[in-house]
Amino acid sequence: MNRLLQLASRRPPLVMCTRLKRSKKKDESLDWAAPLLALQETQRKEHDMKTDQMPHKIHAVCRIKKLKGRPHWEKAIMVSLNLDGPLHKVVVHKNTPEINAKLDVVKHLVSIQPVTFPYGLPEDESDYEHCILKSNGEFAVVKQLKADQRALSNPTAEKWLIPGEVIKKYLRKKIDNHQINAEHFKARYTYRLNQDGEEMQYAHFKEHYKKTSDNT
């Protein structure tokens, strides 16, 4: 018994190890999320502004996918909407619940854009001949040029008045093409095809001369 007590006294004392408990409290500051919250707020405001606007009255619809392999009900809807023609053909439809219900079924096959008039509405009947409806919904109007009434009312004004910007653009084009004073230094002769007899070595000239010789 004494021997056991001696051995036990020689052993080093047991040290109780305790793990450090991590604090469960997280950093509650949201400074890192400030840009994300600001972006979310701007997106919400933009969405509210769009929803506050009046809905457009006309759809510009065009088909962007093929109908091959599609179900029969989708093909029937596309035929009823006159969208069974060539791809990217723009068709105009009214913004009504009936049309929207059909478009909701085939929304994966079409592109829908509101019809806008960035160039204004046609003024004369002759303007309708030069109108075009683009795939993005823009109704482009190319209006006819009209005479300036102020110039007609003042006959003493210069008849052929050219703006300075037009003259600068014309001169800049001549400088870029190395055509300054070209009207005073005309070419003395005109180069003819294969004038020096060196073009026969190129393949495209050989084909050209072969065709000309066959025709003769």
Side-chain angles (χ1 to χ4, degrees):
M1 189 65 184
N2 295 332
R3 183 64 178 172
L4 292 174
L5 292 173
Q6 290 177 359
L7 293 174
S9 62
R10 292 179 182 177
R11 293 180 62 184
L14 296 176
V15 179
M16 298 299 294
C17 297
T18 57
R19 293 183 179 180
L20 296 174
K21 294 183 179 180
R22 295 181 179 178
S23 60
K24 295 183 179 180
K25 294 183 180 179
K26 296 182 180 180
D27 189 7
E28 296 180 356
S29 63
L30 297 176
D31 297 338
W32 59 272
L36 298 177
L37 295 175
L39 177 61
Q40 185 179 6
E41 184 66 20
T42 54
Q43 290 178 351
R44 185 183 63 79
K45 290 180 180 179
E46 291 178 358
H47 179 71
D48 294 342
M49 291 176 62
K50 290 181 180 179
T51 53
D52 292 340
Q53 296 176 358
M54 293 295 293
H56 55 275
K57 297 181 180 180
I58 305 175
H59 292 314
V61 189
C62 65
R63 183 165 60 88
I64 58 176
K65 291 185 180 180
K66 297 182 179 179
L67 296 179
K68 186 177 180 180
R70 307 308 307 177
H72 63 88
W73 60 84
E74 292 183 359
K75 292 182 179 179
I77 292 174
M78 298 296 279
V79 171
S80 65
L81 295 174
N82 196 18
L83 292 170
D84 56 334
L87 282 174
H88 305 288
K89 177 186 176 182
V90 183
V91 182
V92 177
H93 288 288
K94 293 182 180 180
N95 187 4
T96 58
E98 297 177 359
I99 298 297
N100 293 338
K102 292 182 179 180
L103 292 174
D104 187 41
V105 179
V106 293
K107 60 185 177 182
H108 55 287
L109 301 175
V110 298
S111 173
I112 306 171
Q113 297 290 339
V115 177
T116 57
F117 302 90
Y119 306 100
L121 295 173
E123 297 178 356
D124 301 331
E125 293 183 357
S126 58
D127 293 339
Y128 289 100
E129 300 177 359
H130 309 285
C131 296
I132 184 173
L133 181 61
K134 300 180 181 180
S135 59
N136 58 357
E138 291 184 357
F139 188 79
V141 181
V142 182
K143 299 181 180 179
Q144 287 188 343
L145 297 177
K146 297 181 180 180
D148 191 358
Q149 298 298 330
R150 293 179 297 177
L152 294 176
S153 61
N154 188 10
T156 58
E158 296 184 14
K159 188 175 181 181
W160 306 109
L161 181 62
I162 302 176
E165 296 180 358
V166 177
I167 298 174
K168 290 181 180 179
K169 186 177 180 181
Y170 174 73
L171 294 176
R172 173 53 59 185
K173 185 177 180 180
K174 294 195 70 174
I175 292 172
D176 295 340
N177 296 334
H178 305 285
Q179 295 178 350
I180 300 177
N181 297 328
E183 61 273 10
H184 303 293
F185 301 94
K186 296 183 180 179
R188 297 181 180 178
Y189 62 91
T190 304
Y191 181 81
R192 299 188 304 273
L193 183 64
N194 196 24
Q195 178 177 336
D196 51 359
E198 298 294 335
E199 286 83 357
M200 289 293 294
Q201 57 184 335
Y202 300 108
H204 59 280
F205 280 107
K206 289 181 180 179
E207 295 178 359
H208 173 74
Y209 286 112
K210 185 178 180 181
K211 291 179 181 178
T212 54
S213 61
D214 294 341
N215 294 332
T216 54

